[in-house]
Amino acid sequence: LHQSESATGATAVAHALGLEKNFQFVKGDAFELDLFLENDSIDVLWCDFGVGSRMREFASRAWPSVAPGGYLMCHSTLTNQNTRDWLEAIRTRQAEDVTGIPPDEYVELSLLEPHKYYQN
């Protein structure tokens, strides 16, 4: 876990917007998500991390929990060479053994944050 993070503030924002019934914040080891998430149980899985060389492992363990039409959203995939390599493998539709996700099951979208020079 990060020494300093702001993600826990998402719970307060969800409450302020009246969305808390649709929101579950989980703080913990990203590589243990599959131990408690059911298949097709997540509409949006937001990950704010840089897992580097384990990105394929994380994606393969988390992907089954993402419902059809759902989103696996990964922040900051540009600043770490390993996560950037994973993103390029996703973009070029490389095989599941490279990306952790079957290439015919997703659409990749990368959004840059204009106020940040090295994150997306």
Side-chain angles (χ1 to χ4, degrees), residues 24-104:
Q24 178 185 5
F25 181 80
V26 177
K27 182 177 179 179
D29 188 334
F31 297 101
E32 295 178 357
L33 280 176
D34 62 319
L35 299 177
F36 66 89
L37 294 178
E38 296 177 23
N39 284 355
D40 299 333
S41 65
I42 302 291
D43 293 319
V44 176
L45 179 56
W46 171 266
C47 301
D48 189 3
F49 63 100
V51 295
S53 61
R54 294 181 68 191
M55 192 66 194
R56 184 208 52 80
E57 177 189 351
F58 170 78
S60 68
R61 292 177 77 165
W63 188 248
S65 67
V66 178
Y71 298 90
L72 170 59
M73 301 173 74
C74 301
H75 181 254
S76 196
T77 53
L78 298 180
T79 55
N80 177 298
Q81 185 63 51
N82 290 313
T83 51
R84 188 173 185 143
D85 290 344
W86 176 82
L87 178 61
E88 288 305 314
I90 286 287
R91 287 180 174 159
T92 58
R93 292 283 194 255
Q94 292 188 27
E96 184 176 359
D97 64 327
V98 175
T99 65
I101 303 174
D104 60 337

Side-chain angles (χ1 to χ4, degrees), residues 6-20 23-25:
S6 59
T8 51
T11 302
V13 172
H15 181 73
L17 295 172
L19 299 173
E20 64 273 7
F23 181 82
Q24 178 185 5
F25 181 80

